[in-house]
Amino acid sequence: MKLLKERIIRDGKCLEGGILKVDSFINHQMDPLLMKAMADEFVKRFAGDKIDKIVTIEASGIAPAIMVGYLLNLPVVFAKKKIPSTMANILHTKVFSFTKGREYDICVSGEYLNKGDRILFIDDFLANGNAAKGIIDLAKQAEAEIVGMGFLIEKAFQDGGDYLRNVGVRVESLARIKSLSDCKIEFVSEL
Ligand code: 5GP
């Protein structure tokens, strides 16, 4: 998506270790017009699919997910990173965090992820696919079906995209980064 790529070039910052910082328009300060444009693009790409629910993980997936949910008039469920003592019927799994370098818990209530639900997972980044794998596990526990996964930014030099596509998940990424070597942002060339 041209608009997002231009914004990444303009305002994105490379950190050591293959991390792209997009704090000025996605991850801290947010640009609602860009969020809306990105959500429009997901709606277009998944237009042929029957979707019941948008699913994401707190915190950074919530903004794009709610935009998509708003446009499609669908509920948005976010997996929580702390297990609330009051949560009924908990579905739980563990996810390894790429940016924090440690494992964390994610959970959703089985009240909001139901058998037969057709879900679209939306997140900010796809790196090694660990968050996505966690959602696949929760969907399996709930007997829900994953229609597809939409990421704002895919770091194509990491394994997540290949893994997900190889196991048959439909992946749509709005900007695919080929390399962040030497702190130079290079995109995958797409037709
Ligand atoms: P994965 O689970 O695919 O390995 O990593 C995805 C998660 O890690 C995303 O939800 C995002 O929060 C975080 N992440 C991975 N790589 C980056 C990055 O380069 N920049 C930022 N800001 N977050 C990242």
Side-chain angles (χ1 to χ4, degrees):
M1 184 188 177
K2 192 164 171 274
L3 190 66
L4 174 59
K5 288 187 192 171
E6 286 170 356
R7 190 63 177 268
I8 292 170
I9 293 294
R10 197 182 87 191
D11 294 331
K13 306 233 173 338
C14 278
L15 301 187
E16 290 296 317
I19 302 225
L20 178 66
K21 215 164 177 254
V22 288
D23 274 20
S24 66
F25 57 106
I26 291 177
N27 283 149
H28 191 9
Q29 173 171 267
M30 291 184 271
D31 178 341
L33 293 183
L34 177 65
M35 276 301 173
K36 160 77 166 51
M38 294 190 291
D40 281 333
E41 182 65 26
F42 283 132
V43 169
K44 208 166 77 190
R45 293 191 190 193
F46 288 101
D49 296 288
K50 185 187 171 298
I51 300 163
D52 299 314
K53 222 164 251 186
I54 310 300
V55 174
T56 190
I57 300 184
E58 69 175 345
S60 49
I62 293 177
I66 204 158
M67 280 284 184
V68 176
Y70 176 76
L71 294 173
L72 293 174
N73 191 19
L74 292 174
V76 179
V77 179
F78 67 91
K80 297 192 174 212
K81 288 183 175 166
K82 281 212 177 83
I83 302 175
S85 57
T86 53
M87 189 183 275
N89 186 10
I90 295 177
L91 308 175
H92 159 261
T93 193
K94 286 189 181 296
V95 167
F96 184 81
S97 165
F98 171 74
T99 43
K100 295 192 177 73
R102 61 173 165 82
E103 225 177 36
Y104 62 94
D105 296 293
I106 58 166
C107 66
V108 293
S109 166
E111 279 183 82
Y112 305 122
L113 202 53
N114 307 124
K115 184 172 178 173
D117 273 349
R118 293 175 57 81
I119 66 175
L120 172 62
F121 175 59
I122 297 287
D123 206 1
D124 58 345
F125 276 88
L126 171 61
N128 289 320
N130 292 309
K133 286 178 195 169
I135 292 299
I136 291 173
D137 186 17
L138 293 182
K140 208 173 272 168
Q141 292 178 42
E143 297 182 65
E145 193 181 327
I146 293 175
V147 172
M149 296 194 168
F151 300 93
L152 305 182
I153 301 170
E154 174 180 345
K155 296 194 293 179
F157 58 89
Q158 290 182 258
D159 295 339
D162 284 347
Y163 171 83
L164 292 173
R165 292 179 180 101
N166 284 336
V167 297
V169 175
R170 167 147 180 235
V171 177
E172 292 288 345
S173 306
L174 304 187
R176 300 185 70 220
I177 294 176
K178 185 168 147 190
S179 164
L180 292 173
S181 298
D182 304 321
C183 280
K184 243 187 68 213
I185 302 168
E186 225 188 299
F187 292 102
V188 174
S189 53
E190 275 158 313
L191 299 174

